[in-house]
Amino acid sequence: MSRISHPLLRKIIDVTIPYAVGITLAFIIAGITMYLTGFDVLLSYRTIFLTSFTTADSFALTLLKFITLLMLSTAFAIPLMSRKFNIGIEGQFLLGAIGATIVGLTLHLPPGIHVTLALLLGILLGALWAAIPAYLLYKFNVNEVISTILMNFIAFYLVDYVATGPWRDVVPGHPMTIPIASTSYLPLILHRPSIHIGIIISIVLTIAAYVLIFLTIYGYELRASGSNPRAANVFGINVKFLGPMSLILGGAVAGLAGAIEVTGIHYRLIEGMESNYAPLSILIALMGKGNPLAILFFAIFISVIEVGTSALQRTQGVPVELTLIVEALILIFVLVAEVMRRR
Amino acid sequence: MNQDVVNKEVPFILMKNIRKRFGNVIALDGVTLDIKKGEVLGLLGENGAGKTTLMNILYGLYRADSGEIFIYGKKVKITSPRDGIKHGIFMVHQHFKLISNFTALENIIIGTASLSKALKPMKPDYAREKIEELMKKFSLYVDLDAKIRDLPIGVQQRVEILKALFRGAKLLILDEPTTNLTPQEVDVLLKSLREMVQSGLSVVFITHKIHEAKAVADRITVLRAGKVIGTLPANKADDATLVRMMVGEKITIENSILFKGIKASIISAEAKGRPLLVVKNLYVTDELGMEVLKNISLEVKGGEILGIAGVAGNGQRELVEAIVGIRKPIKGKVIIKGIDVTNLPPSKIFSLGVSYVPEDRLNDGILPTLSVAENIILGFHKLFTKSNKVLLNLREIRKVARESIKKFDIKAPHELSIAGRLSGGNIQKLMIARALLRKPVVLIAHNMTRGLDVATTEFVLRELLRLKRMGSAILFVSEDLEELMLISDRISVMYRGEIVGNIPRERFDKYEIGKLMAGIRG
Amino acid sequence: MEYDIYTIIISSFKYLLMLLVPYALTSLGIMISGRAGIFNITAEGMMLLGASVTFLVTYYTGGNQVLGLLTCLAVGALFGLAFGYLTITLKLNQFIVGITFFILTSSLGSLLYKVFIGVTLTPPRVAVLPEINIPLLSQIPAIGEILFKQNIMVYLTIILAILFHYLLFKTMLGLNIRSVGENPRAADVLGINVFLVKYVTVIIGMMLMSLSGGYLLLAFTGTFTEYIVSGRGWIAIALTLFGKWSPIPILLGSLIFSGIEVTVYQLQTMGVAIPYQFLLMIPYIATMIILIWVYKRAEVPQALGKPYDREAIEE
């Protein structure tokens, strides 16, 4: 490695090596475990990595998952920059979904306005859901890790209430609402396979997040308050306010993600729609260290794997929790590798 | 061998050829040093010379990369403080290692029982008798049941020394022990040390002040840039030789402020015009409602340096924070350039032309995960935006950073490198660069030169004099009385949150000021 | 079934003590490593993994509960060691490691169950922990049933809390441990093995969390679902804060949380007019309210959450 003298190239390699090591190690461990429990390792690897690219539909599915993961990761990343852990993205996501469902079921509006309102209410409710822990943090210094997680549990029950209440669709066995009005559907940019404009929204959002965090004065103050709250405070940054504010911003993004999920994919509120998006997104954001561009890259990677493991569960019976375990292992190995490299 | 003194007897402790590096920096470059039983060895050198590192290795807190340690001729391995203590070596660091929530007694006895004994119930009078004996023997009186956070610093130091004595220390290493003492307290400490030495203890007294070393030590070993320059008996060492040994040829001693003082013509430049900083009847309370500042009034004119003297913890920090806007006073006013800034936030106060160098550089000064450039603009960051007031003007930020790095000789690979990797001295330089980014109307500096080596200290003091000549009003808070006396036009002394005395330069007297620092009024 | 007030009260109080265990055990686990400066938030996931492992071992050994619990302790120790390595030796951020370990252990818990048992129509059961009849005392009407006829873990938990109290506040070992959490540098220069203290407390803490999960499995229904913990691990963190990182306040405080759970349960069975979802929200809302109250009484070990590096330059 010392042969490479060009500083930029060396820096790039320096940064990526821990990730390469981490990913490789994690998959080796997964492979060994699969082998020991009697699964066909090679076939499993092929399924995991390649399923996304085998058919147009699987590619579309990957893209749709990517949209949700990208947005939820961003929702976690923004507060992360001020050292706040917004574990509540799950609850905020669900509240956004509830908001969109309410608009979709109760209002009758022309198509453009209807869906916009659905998304707006989703953003609002997501922000509100984060505002409660944010306020507790601001006023009473309540640790946001615990408070946002508690809000998640409350959100689950809220979803159950809505999905089993007067709007319930009694036909399917699983709790869910009746479909929302078609005027509130998210427009598609592609019809076969169907891909909605969430892809544009999420990418724009990611770029906006990057600009916000690294190129604006607000982002500077955010990162400063995360880096050393005392020093930031001493030099005039309103640390007390910024942390909670970033949580609310994260909540808004997560709420938007939930609203998009309802108006773009399910067209109704389904219990369990949060799936495993939240923990996946948290790990993605941590892997990318809160940098939206890095997160974009990891989100692509994880959505491919997630589609692959779902397929693997169907064909081989390997439980889909595998994705989370592998992802957690990747993050751990990356962190370890980075420390080792510095020694 | 660099020994100027030949010992015929086997020394108590011999450190041979000690080498230590931290990353790319060589802290100790083959140091050989000996300590005799029953002596006070003065370890003299400027900040950064390696004195603390060397003693940390002897104590076991650090491990040498190479080299050996002998006790009475027998080679020993010291790899942790446990080993150090086992051999009777104990170190009192510059920043006390005390647990503020525990009592003095608890702090003294921690970790002194074997595992089986440690599981037995501990009575409140555990070891009390033995400790009280030690207190009487060496005149180190402490309220054993008081919590450390309620004890003044001078008393805390006694707790630290009692910790050593309780463990049967044979060698006591004191790292810059006079930093937070009044001149009178220093005398008392030196007397205690003499008593300990008379009863057979050895002492290593680490200091960067020549007169201290000469006052207390039997022999003086001078360290410079990680090497031993020489060892001489204290009574045979004259100031000029010691200075030369300490700083080498880096400083032209004839022109040095620190060693030769400031020409009267420079320092007595007339202060002009109305005061730029006025504090009127200021009262500040802490979170528990206790008064930490009582009726503080002071004025600083342009072209003037007002020194604030006092032992740490007498309200200096609160005063500085109240002026800069971090703390809100409950009564009184702060007026800058004629404008009442009492309840304004720091950002507004900085924008009026106030610069601030906080005391606690690692905790209050830098943003460790951000770049050097982003650190330099902290406090002024709102000025570095493009016309829309939202986007950062990155090019300008980097330009300013590069200039500052050059001007203050900050050793960083690049203006975008991470600030957290800088050494302590460079962090302080960064903070000074930040404070001097624009010529300040008012400069508030708290312990500005603490921990800096001689060359940098010289540079900083010269900068201050330059600002003074250009008309800035400077509030210089320092716990180093000598420095204050060197550079201030006037000195106000703080004690228990009040100003207990104002002394003009003509009447500067170390012991008189020391009395005020200790709360003894004229 | 007769609406017997008497029986309801007795069984409520009995459940109160039975439910005290998961909260108290987990919280004690968080507390002990917290006293040495490590803030371990893995609890929720570790409990799930502990429950999963306990079930599988007990099930496949034909009902050997002891072996099940021992295995879950071993698994806890293993993860404690790993957690310790990452946070103590490598000095990684404790919250980040905690969140990652939470995800890892809860996924592993679900995965193991799925791999070995899979999806079944009726979930398999293992035998529930037997009650211990304390002679004579358990014959006392009402109180005897509540206090002296519990399973062994209830008594062990209470004893453990008392033991921790004695250890931490009445012995020098406790003083040493607490000094590591207050000011590790001060403890280090006095010869205390800071790393050892941190490692041991983290491992013990993780073992307690795992054990708590195993208890949840064996004490009530003997069946495993991925909802068996349902937030108690997070609530235990709140309990630790509420109990000022001290064993006895934690023990007493756990009664509050188990009390809330029992009340919600009884309200549900009594058929109150409120929709059941809102009843189920109560424990989480109550926890947040309690956290507000904690703010005024905050008394945390001063060096909590900070990694210790002996060679770090300090000012």
Side-chain angles (χ1 to χ4, degrees), chain B residues 406-473:
Chain B
K406 207 157 136 220
K407 182 169 170 198
F408 291 91
D409 188 31
I410 302 175
K411 293 197 175 40
H414 192 253
E415 76 265 14
L416 290 183
S417 51
I418 303 296
R421 305 253 178 88
L422 295 178
S423 71
N426 281 306
I427 291 176
Q428 184 76 319
K429 287 189 206 176
L430 192 156
M431 285 174 34
I432 294 170
R434 179 199 291 153
L436 303 182
L437 207 54
R438 307 172 302 165
K439 172 183 159 288
V441 168
V442 175
L443 172 65
I444 318 276
H446 195 168
N447 282 336
M448 202 166 176
T449 60
R450 182 164 70 187
L452 293 181
D453 60 43
V454 168
T456 317
T457 306
E458 287 278 339
F459 177 75
V460 168
L461 292 178
R462 275 180 207 286
E463 274 296 303
L464 283 179
L465 291 174
R466 190 177 66 88
L467 288 177
K468 172 188 152 82
R469 275 198 303 277
M470 298 207 306
S472 301

Side-chain angles (χ1 to χ4, degrees), chain B residues 302-353:
Chain B
E304 208 184 7
I305 297 180
L306 173 64
I308 304 283
V311 175
N314 276 292
Q316 297 95 316
R317 172 175 254 251
E318 288 80 358
L319 173 63
V320 160
E321 288 181 349
I323 294 175
V324 166
I326 301 169
R327 270 183 204 257
K328 299 277 172 273
I330 55 167
K331 247 199 297 193
K333 287 199 224 241
V334 177
I335 301 171
I336 293 180
K337 279 203 315 192
I339 305 170
D340 186 344
V341 299
T342 315
N343 283 307
L344 292 186
S347 48
K348 292 249 170 41
I349 296 181
F350 291 147
S351 66
L352 287 174

Side-chain angles (χ1 to χ4, degrees), chain B residues 20 22 59-61 79-82 85 90 95 97-102 109-113 118-122 126 163 167 361-362, chain C residues 166-167 169-176 178-180 182-183 185-193 300 302 308 310-315:
Chain B
K20 176 79 182 165
F22 291 107
Y59 184 46
L61 204 57
T79 53
S80 78
R82 221 186 189 116
I85 294 175
F90 196 91
H95 298 268
K97 310 278 196 281
L98 294 171
I99 297 170
S100 51
N101 287 338
F102 288 4
I109 61 176
I110 289 179
T112 53
L119 287 171
K120 295 209 185 68
M122 207 175 55
Y126 183 87
K163 270 161 61 174
R167 284 162 175 74
R361 70 183 95 140
L362 276 190
Chain C
Y166 167 75
L167 179 78
F169 296 111
K170 300 270 187 259
T171 66
M172 179 167 303
L173 184 64
L175 191 67
N176 294 347
R178 286 186 290 132
S179 66
V180 171
E182 294 284 336
N183 188 340
R185 203 165 267 281
D188 194 12
V189 302
L190 290 174
I192 294 176
N193 192 335
V300 275
Q302 285 195 321
Y308 178 58
R310 181 187 272 177
E311 299 218 345
I313 314 227
E314 35 113 36
E315 288 304 313

Side-chain angles (χ1 to χ4, degrees), chain A residues 81-303:
Chain A
M81 290 284 98
S82 68
R83 277 249 162 263
K84 298 280 172 256
F85 297 95
N86 184 11
I87 319 280
I89 49 177
E90 197 156 50
Q92 293 145 18
F93 174 81
L94 290 176
L95 264 287
I98 290 177
T101 310
I102 292 176
V103 169
L105 290 179
T106 55
L107 298 180
H108 303 283
L109 296 165
I113 305 181
H114 201 176
V115 68
T116 312
L117 219 60
L119 294 184
L120 280 177
L121 189 62
I123 295 175
L124 200 68
L125 288 189
L128 183 76
W129 212 239
I132 298 174
Y135 177 72
L136 293 182
L137 175 64
Y138 179 75
K139 200 80 198 290
F140 303 105
N141 206 25
V142 171
N143 187 296
E144 79 283 355
V145 171
I146 310 173
S147 55
T148 53
I149 289 181
L150 294 173
M151 296 299 282
N152 284 349
F153 284 97
I154 300 176
F156 294 146
Y157 291 120
L158 211 58
V159 166
D160 185 58
Y161 179 69
V162 172
T164 55
W167 286 328
R168 180 173 188 162
D169 190 343
V170 287
V171 173
H174 187 85
M176 65 179 82
T177 64
I178 51 180
I180 55 178
S182 61
T183 45
S184 61
Y185 286 17
L186 208 56
L188 299 174
I189 57 171
L190 208 65
H191 285 274
R192 261 181 329 127
S194 20
I195 298 179
H196 55 72
I197 61 164
I199 183 81
I200 300 180
I201 298 178
S202 59
I203 302 233
V204 167
L205 200 72
T206 305
I207 298 176
Y210 181 81
V211 169
L212 179 79
I213 292 174
F214 291 107
L215 301 178
T216 64
I217 201 82
Y218 171 73
Y220 173 84
E221 295 199 335
L222 200 68
R223 285 180 295 127
S225 59
S227 182
N228 186 345
R230 272 177 68 171
N233 197 41
V234 158
F235 284 95
I237 296 178
N238 192 345
V239 172
K240 202 165 146 85
F241 178 74
L242 277 178
M245 203 55 226
S246 67
L247 281 176
I248 296 179
L249 205 57
V253 173
L256 179 60
I260 289 179
E261 189 88 353
V262 163
T263 58
I265 301 180
H266 304 296
Y267 304 126
R268 57 175 96 219
L269 184 74
I270 304 181
E271 188 165 298
M273 61 181 284
E274 75 275 4
S275 180
N276 57 0
Y277 288 133
L280 283 175
S281 306
I282 292 174
L283 292 176
I284 291 174
L286 289 175
M287 258 188 242
K289 301 196 199 305
N291 185 328
L293 297 181
I295 287 173
L296 188 103
F297 175 70
F298 288 119
I300 297 176
F301 180 61
I302 297 294
S303 22

Side-chain angles (χ1 to χ4, degrees), chain C residues 157-235:
Chain C
T157 305
I158 297 176
I159 294 175
L160 186 68
I162 298 175
L163 213 70
F164 270 156
H165 174 85
Y166 167 75
L167 179 78
L168 277 180
F169 296 111
K170 300 270 187 259
T171 66
M172 179 167 303
L173 184 64
L175 191 67
N176 294 347
I177 295 175
R178 286 186 290 132
S179 66
V180 171
E182 294 284 336
N183 188 340
R185 203 165 267 281
D188 194 12
V189 302
L190 290 174
I192 294 176
N193 192 335
V194 168
F195 272 24
L196 187 67
V197 169
K198 287 184 182 240
Y199 263 102
V200 169
T201 52
V202 164
I203 291 174
I204 293 179
M206 211 59 126
M207 286 168 73
L208 289 176
M209 291 177 199
S210 187
L211 183 65
S212 180
Y215 173 83
L216 276 177
L217 181 80
L218 290 179
F220 298 101
T221 59
T223 58
F224 176 86
T225 76
E226 58 189 66
Y227 305 110
I228 193 169
V229 185
S230 66
R232 293 192 191 87
W234 301 111
I235 295 177

